[in-house]
Amino acid sequence: MSRPSARSVIEEIATGFEDLDVSRSDEPADGPIEWPGYRAAREAAEKRTGEDESVLCGTARIGDVEAVVIAFEFGFLGGSIGQRTGDRVEAAFARAVESRLPVVSLIATGGSRMQHGMLALSQLQRIARAAAGARAVPQISVLRDPTTGGGWATLGASADVVLALPEAQVGFAGSRVRSADAPPEAYTAEAKLAWGQVDGIVPSADLPATLQRWLRLLSSPTTEAAEPPSALGSANLPESGWEAVQTARAADRPRAAEYLDAYFDWREDVSGDRCGGVDSGVLCGFGWRGGRAIAYAAQCGTPTLPAGFRTAARLVRLASRLGIPVLTLVDTPGAANDAAAERDGAGAAIAELFEAVASAAVPITTLVIGEGGSGGALAFAAPGSTWVAPGAYFSVTSPEAAAAILKLPADEVPALADRLRLRPQDLVALGIARSVVEPADRV
């Protein structure tokens, strides 16, 4: 199978690539463990690829942003990671930290270099340490074919944003060491997207523009809080609590996607909690508005799954680390509370988001746009910086659940909605919300 060279991939996405000047580690002719025939294999790889190692590291411009680029040359011994690979990657991250540049890793590797033995495997610790030491700068990985072994388990999976080319082979186990009955579809970028481990599948033709957008978003810190979105839909306030609940539950009212599309000039989503889960009822990512980047975590009106809370927590922590303000949209009848949610750690996931919001080093702005059901909604809300739309409500629990808890008959549910003081104007009076937002044409 013919694969594009590392340099050709760099040329497709960037301009002005300059290799870093990295000293070469001393190495015996047949490698550090004197593997028979290694010298000949290495010389053949050099002749075939025109490169002297399995990875290229340097600086380049991707769109308007200068970045450190790490690109694996699969034609050089399968893009395997050896001692000099570790030297270069470590130097690349050091340059990124020194110059405050984002890192883009273009990965195509089969994993550690067998001919270097444990010295090869130990390079994964070096790479992990270098990446961890560069968390002050954005890190984006692009999973090419294949991305397996230590390349996936370090540079690939640890990046802030993980993109993948269509049908790329991705997995910790390479094709030659998997169980014979392992389904091949489990080792694809598409599977990793479905399982919350990849943020997006990007065709090669779209990769330059996608990387430009992501680098612009992640490299634009600001100290100013996001302004709350204007209300969509009716500006009329409900007369009763039950009217507020019914309005928020209306099928035709504006939802999170409509708010995000109206608020941002353009945006890019992240997906998944990185540990096997995706909640389609939570939208997370970064958007561009009025010349600056704002992160977002938005509920879409469904019961929020543990994966949704973990994805939102991941988003808030990333934005906090990069100095990008956050907008959250609250809209859920509550956290999912079925057996599956309990098995997947609902309580721990909600706690994770509460902690991320509480410890954020950036301002968080919240707008309640629909249902605000109990702790599952509150976890998305910023204390002291929450606004509410006219057609929304926020409550300690739903009126129906309150009736069940208090052992009251169902016909008292509408009256309970009034007693809970959950209307937008009630939330302002209670100090839960700062104010009720109005439509843009009335601001």
Side-chain angles (χ1 to χ4, degrees):
M1 177 181 179
S2 176
R3 293 180 174 86
S5 68
R7 290 197 185 272
S8 67
V9 173
I10 293 172
E11 289 174 359
E12 289 174 0
I13 67 160
T15 58
F17 179 76
E18 294 184 9
D19 290 90
L20 293 181
D21 184 11
V22 182
S23 299
R24 289 165 63 88
S25 301
D26 291 335
E27 183 178 290
D30 275 330
I33 61 174
E34 299 181 349
W35 191 279
Y38 175 64
R39 177 179 181 178
R42 184 181 182 92
E43 289 176 348
E46 292 179 0
K47 183 177 180 179
R48 181 171 56 251
T49 64
E51 307 295 345
D52 61 1
E53 192 42 77
S54 63
V55 68
L56 283 66
C57 295
T59 57
R61 294 197 72 81
I62 300 177
D64 296 330
V65 179
E66 185 177 6
V68 169
V69 177
I70 299 170
F72 281 78
E73 175 53 71
F74 190 79
F76 192 102
L77 302 177
S80 58
I81 299 170
Q83 187 169 358
R84 289 175 178 171
T85 317
D87 293 341
R88 292 189 177 186
V89 173
E90 189 174 60
F93 277 107
R95 175 61 181 276
V97 173
E98 176 188 1
S99 303
R100 301 288 299 178
L101 298 178
V103 179
V104 175
S105 298
L106 307 168
I107 307 169
T109 174
S112 299
R113 190 169 299 171
M114 296 299 100
Q115 298 93 329
H116 282 200
M118 277 302 298
L119 282 175
L121 193 65
S122 68
Q123 300 309 306
L124 305 184
Q125 295 171 320
R126 290 181 72 191
I127 292 171
R129 183 171 60 247
R135 286 300 176 191
V137 300
Q139 299 178 28
I140 301 174
S141 65
V142 178
L143 313 181
R144 297 153 58 209
D145 184 43
T147 297
T148 60
W152 167 230
T154 53
L155 288 176
S158 71
D160 300 321
V161 174
V162 181
L163 307 176
L165 298 184
E167 300 181 356
Q169 179 188 173
V170 180
F172 185 64
S175 59
R176 297 182 182 179
V177 297
R178 298 174 197 150
S179 170
D181 58 355
E185 59 271 16
Y187 300 89
T188 63
E190 286 74 12
K192 298 302 185 288
L193 176 65
W195 297 335
Q197 300 165 34
V198 164
D199 291 304
I201 307 293
V202 183
S204 295
D206 297 337
L207 187 59
T210 300
L211 285 174
Q212 289 176 29
R213 285 158 67 103
W214 268 117
L215 288 171
R216 189 177 182 190
L217 288 167
L218 300 182
S219 302
S220 301
T222 177
T223 58
E224 184 181 352
E227 61 181 326
S230 300
L232 300 180
S234 174
N236 298 326
L237 291 173
E239 295 184 2
S240 69
W242 188 236
E243 181 186 345
V245 172
Q246 291 178 307
T247 300
R249 291 176 178 174
D252 60 350
R253 66 159 172 87
R255 304 282 169 162
E258 295 170 74
Y259 270 91
L260 294 175
D261 288 344
Y263 187 78
F264 289 113
D265 302 329
W266 49 270
R267 59 188 173 92
E268 293 285 346
D269 289 341
V270 300
S271 177
D273 62 5
R274 294 290 177 83
C275 52
V278 175
D279 183 356
S280 61
V282 173
L283 295 175
C284 292
F286 292 79
W288 194 258
R289 174 181 168 84
R292 69 191 187 112
I294 297 170
Y296 58 87
Q299 294 172 307
C300 298
T302 57
T304 302
L305 305 176
F309 292 109
R310 293 192 181 99
T311 305
R314 171 192 157 209
L315 182 283
V316 171
R317 288 193 297 264
L318 174 57
S320 180
R321 202 181 77 233
L322 299 181
I324 299 172
V326 179
L327 169 70
T328 64
L329 301 181
V330 170
D331 185 9
T332 181
N337 58 9
D338 56 9
E342 292 298 326
R343 179 199 63 210
D344 293 341
I350 295 170
E352 187 176 339
L353 181 53
F354 270 124
E355 180 180 0
V357 170
S359 60
V362 294
I364 300 177
T365 301
T366 298
L367 177 64
V368 186
I369 65 170
E371 292 195 80
S374 195
L378 190 67
F380 275 75
S385 189
T386 292
W387 281 258
V388 59
Y393 78 87
F394 213 155
S395 177
V396 62
T397 190
S398 70
E400 294 87 349
I405 292 167
L406 298 173
K407 299 181 180 180
L408 297 175
D411 59 8
E412 291 198 33
V413 166
L416 271 177
D418 289 329
R419 285 180 228 160
L420 287 169
R421 297 191 65 187
L422 48 73
R423 300 175 303 167
Q425 56 267 47
D426 296 328
L427 300 173
V428 175
L430 289 169
I432 301 300
R434 294 176 63 167
S435 67
V436 179
V437 297
E438 294 190 345
D441 59 5
R442 294 180 54 173
V443 175

